[in-house]
Amino acid sequence: LCYLLLFAWAAWRAYLFQIQRVREREQLAFEHREMERVKALEQMKTNFFSNVTHEFRTPLTLIAEPVRQLLHNPRDPELTAKLRLVDRNSQHLLQLVNQLLDMAKLESGQMSLDLRRGDLGQIVRDVFETFLPLAEKRGVKLTFRQDSKDSQNFEFDPGKVELVLNNLISNALKFTPE
């Protein structure tokens, strides 16, 4: 009777072990299918962004080029200043579109810094000036102050610095009362 009970218990444990293995295999297969589905969705999203971004680049280029041509033939100083602002903003928008294209690089882990030596103050000043009309429209006074009279050259990624500054100033304007 003890041998029979021991054999029945061993058979029952073997049966439970097999059921557990089948469940684990099914769970792994499900997780693998889910991972493949998520990967396919991510690829579709990346392709969508790439296609939309390419569609934005053409009209942006077509807008920017006539502005540049008008800037080469200045007649009215006030118009020239506004055209420079339009040119800077169109270039900024083109950079944002290019960043969407770089999204695939970022997702694949191939995004790297584009370090260049340059005047950080000039980058900050350029970004600051692009927001002046918006600040004026919203009744917010923006001021730019650079402590150092002489410009200092630093090594930095201009695109990433511009992106951070644009986000900071944009959010500041968005949440600052008149």
Side-chain angles (χ1 to χ4, degrees):
L1 183 61
C2 285
Y3 286 126
L4 184 61
L5 285 175
L6 185 62
F7 179 74
W9 178 81
W12 177 251
R13 295 299 295 165
Y15 173 73
L16 291 178
F17 179 75
Q18 286 293 61
I19 288 177
Q20 182 65 26
R21 282 185 57 199
V22 168
R23 284 183 184 158
E24 286 175 358
R25 257 190 256 137
E26 288 175 356
Q27 181 67 25
L28 283 173
F30 172 76
E31 288 173 1
H32 181 71
R33 285 190 309 268
E34 187 66 19
M35 187 176 69
E36 291 296 322
R37 187 182 70 79
V38 167
K39 191 187 283 185
L41 282 173
E42 288 294 322
Q43 186 61 42
M44 284 174 45
K45 181 181 78 170
T46 302
N47 290 342
F48 172 76
F49 277 128
S50 293
N51 291 337
V52 168
T53 303
H54 280 293
E55 293 301 319
F56 280 142
R57 281 181 73 157
T58 302
L60 276 172
T61 305
L62 294 174
I63 290 169
E65 190 53 37
V67 170
R68 284 196 184 134
Q69 289 173 359
L70 287 171
L71 281 172
H72 289 295
N73 189 12
R75 292 185 185 154
D76 180 11
E78 188 176 321
L79 179 64
T80 302
K82 288 181 181 179
L83 284 173
R84 279 195 186 106
L85 185 62
V86 169
D87 183 46
R88 258 197 315 259
N89 287 331
S90 67
Q91 291 305 313
H92 174 67
L93 190 55
L94 192 56
Q95 286 175 348
L96 291 175
V97 167
N98 287 335
Q99 287 174 3
L100 281 176
L101 285 174
D102 289 341
M103 195 152 130
K105 286 183 187 177
L106 181 64
E107 288 178 355
S108 67
Q110 296 175 350
M111 179 64 73
S112 61
L113 288 176
D114 180 22
L115 295 177
R116 297 180 189 171
R117 185 161 285 285
D119 184 4
L120 186 60
Q122 184 62 44
I123 297 285
V124 174
R125 188 178 303 108
D126 289 345
V127 172
F128 167 80
E129 288 173 357
T130 61
F131 282 96
L132 285 175
L134 181 62
E136 185 179 311
K137 179 181 174 186
R138 292 189 177 181
V140 175
K141 181 183 176 191
L142 279 182
T143 57
F144 176 79
R145 182 178 49 192
Q146 188 172 0
D147 291 336
S148 176
K149 295 293 181 199
D150 54 343
S151 66
Q152 295 181 357
N153 285 330
F154 293 98
E155 204 169 281
F156 60 95
D157 185 332
K160 303 232 179 358
V161 169
E162 282 186 35
L163 179 66
V164 168
L165 290 172
N166 278 314
N167 287 333
L168 284 172
I169 297 173
S170 175
N171 288 336
L173 285 175
K174 191 184 304 180
F175 297 109
T176 301
E178 202 173 298

